[in-house]
Amino acid sequence: MVVAATHASGLAAAPELAVAAGFTYEALAHRVVFGDGTRERVADEADRLGIRRALVLTTPAQQADGEQLGRMLAHRFAAIFPEAAMHTPVGVTERAMRLIETSDIDCLVALGGGSAIGLAKALSLRSGLPQLVLPTTYAGSEMTPILGETRDGIKSTQRSSNLVPDTVIYDVDLTLSLPSAMSASSGLNAMAHAVEALYAPEANPIIAMMAERGIAALASALPRIVAARTDRDARREALLGAWLCGTCLGTTSMGLHHALCHILGGTFDLPHAETHAIILPHAVAYNACAAPQAMQAIARALGAQDASPGLFALLHRLELPTALADIGMPEGGIAHAAALAARSTYANPRRLERPALEALIARAFRGDAPMQ
Ligand code: NAD
């Protein structure tokens, strides 16, 4: 957890101000292995954790990769549970818990994106078992002490340092199969974590360095991945960027952008990463006047004149949907979403004003350019 310098106005303390006022930085404890082909070190990493009987977790789509990983774990592989799902439904977690209780499992090994890693966190919370995770998207959950779970369609989020995976193996090879569009939207999801860390109440110079480097890495890599899905150099750069952006999410509190995505995703069942990609330029435009130093850092990292237009241009360049209307949002939901957003308790540098939020969501609904 990070406790940053406080800022008298109550607005986000810009990193420069934080240096002057002093700040506290507390790193999350975990071991990270990064590189090409690193999944082949999974057995060694399992031994470091003292694992005898691992339960491998994947989504149904990644079951074959999970089974291959199981073979690499050899005698340490006890079973696979290939039912991870978006937003960590409690029913799925409870089914996996029964398997843990009857199969003498002593470690959770998740291979996949935020869904598989979310399941590992939910199971660790209930069982106390250690987690070894191999991320295959850029969502960043592996770097956070955060778990979002869904029960009867209602999502609740909790934070605890116990939720942080013990070992993270980043293997560039595992990301080569991520389709271009998913890579682009997942990468913008990651970028959003770094953007909001720059104007978070806990902003500090250490996180600001990671945020700017993370945004720059993804801004450079994602267009190259869209042009050539298996561009290994671009994949390596994007994965490093995702790591840095995930750390930003894990060590600061998020603002308007994450509040809006949480509300829109939960209320209208919109796809997670695409919602982040569409909303990001608009949320940044909303906050531009209240967080000028963060805007400069974002623009620098993008190599753009201004932060919000730079993000909107990137969204177009990545050939992603630019309108909430195109990913399933009903037009009749705009006013309701704005009302919910105005009541949100997320920390944000600019006050959350309902009419301005409604205009923001309406622009995002139509795919219009962002406006301050
Ligand atoms: P995901 O894990 O749901 O994956 C989406 C689909 O892509 C799945 O079918 C998966 O099997 C497939 N896939 C993943 N990697 C692949 C690859 N390399 N090649 C081919 N297919 C691949 O998607 P996500 O965006 O990574 O995660 C979204 C979830 O994570 C949401 O529930 C979100 O709330 C959560 N999340 C949590 C945190 C946190 O800190 N707790 C952070 C970010 C996201």
Side-chain angles (χ1 to χ4, degrees), residues 198-245:
L198 284 165
Y199 54 65
E202 307 88 350
N204 67 68
I206 309 304
I207 282 299
M209 274 192 302
M210 292 194 198
E212 200 170 326
R213 178 70 174 86
I215 295 168
L218 288 161
S220 153
L222 297 179
R224 284 146 62 205
I225 291 169
V226 168
R229 191 169 59 102
T230 55
D231 180 334
R232 189 174 280 279
D233 291 340
R235 287 291 188 184
R236 201 175 296 115
E237 183 76 3
L239 198 54
L240 181 67
W243 169 3
L244 295 172
C245 293

Side-chain angles (χ1 to χ4, degrees), residues 5 26 59 65 86 89-90 112 120 153 197 218 261 278 290 312 348 356 363 368:
E26 194 177 320
T59 60
D65 290 337
M86 193 78 99
V90 170
L218 288 161
C261 293
I278 293 171
F312 195 60
N348 195 60
R363 276 192 294 279
D368 292 350

Side-chain angles (χ1 to χ4, degrees), residues 152-195:
D152 301 327
I154 296 171
K155 189 166 175 175
S156 60
T157 301
Q158 54 186 303
R159 247 183 137 105
S160 160
S161 56
N162 294 334
L163 290 169
V164 180
D166 300 80
T167 302
V168 180
I169 299 181
Y170 282 114
D171 185 344
V172 176
D173 292 19
L174 289 174
T175 63
L176 296 176
S177 56
L178 191 65
S180 299
M182 272 176 64
S183 303
S185 57
S186 178
L188 287 181
N189 181 184
M191 204 184 270
H193 309 329
V195 163

Side-chain angles (χ1 to χ4, degrees), residues 246-330:
T247 304
C248 291
L249 172 67
T251 49
T252 61
S253 33
M254 297 286 107
L256 171 65
H257 170 82
H258 283 75
L260 280 174
C261 293
H262 187 94
I263 290 163
L264 293 166
T267 311
F268 308 112
D269 198 24
L270 305 185
H272 178 84
E274 287 89 340
T275 308
H276 273 270
I278 293 171
I279 289 293
L280 186 59
H282 299 278
V284 167
Y286 185 93
N287 282 333
C289 294
Q293 277 148 327
M295 297 301 134
Q296 283 167 18
I298 297 162
R300 253 195 325 268
L302 293 171
Q305 193 78 23
D306 288 303
S308 164
L311 289 167
F312 195 60
L314 181 61
L315 182 64
H316 276 275
R317 198 167 160 211
L318 296 176
E319 297 165 18
L320 287 169
T322 53
L324 293 174
D326 294 341
I327 60 165
M329 165 136 183

Side-chain angles (χ1 to χ4, degrees), residues 62-126:
Q62 288 176 290
Q63 179 170 359
D65 290 337
E67 281 163 356
Q68 190 196 43
L69 192 72
R71 287 191 287 279
M72 290 177 178
L73 282 164
H75 58 87
R76 307 162 195 85
F77 175 47
I80 182 164
F81 182 83
E83 296 178 39
M86 193 78 99
H87 304 309
T88 329
V90 170
V92 173
T93 304
E94 286 170 352
R95 276 205 301 283
M97 269 311 291
R98 284 197 283 279
L99 186 59
I100 288 174
E101 284 155 8
T102 54
S103 304
D104 188 24
I105 300 297
D106 68 359
C107 182
L108 306 159
V109 177
L111 178 142
S115 295
I117 295 168
L119 177 59
K121 288 177 172 178
L123 292 170
S124 178
L125 182 75
R126 288 160 174 79

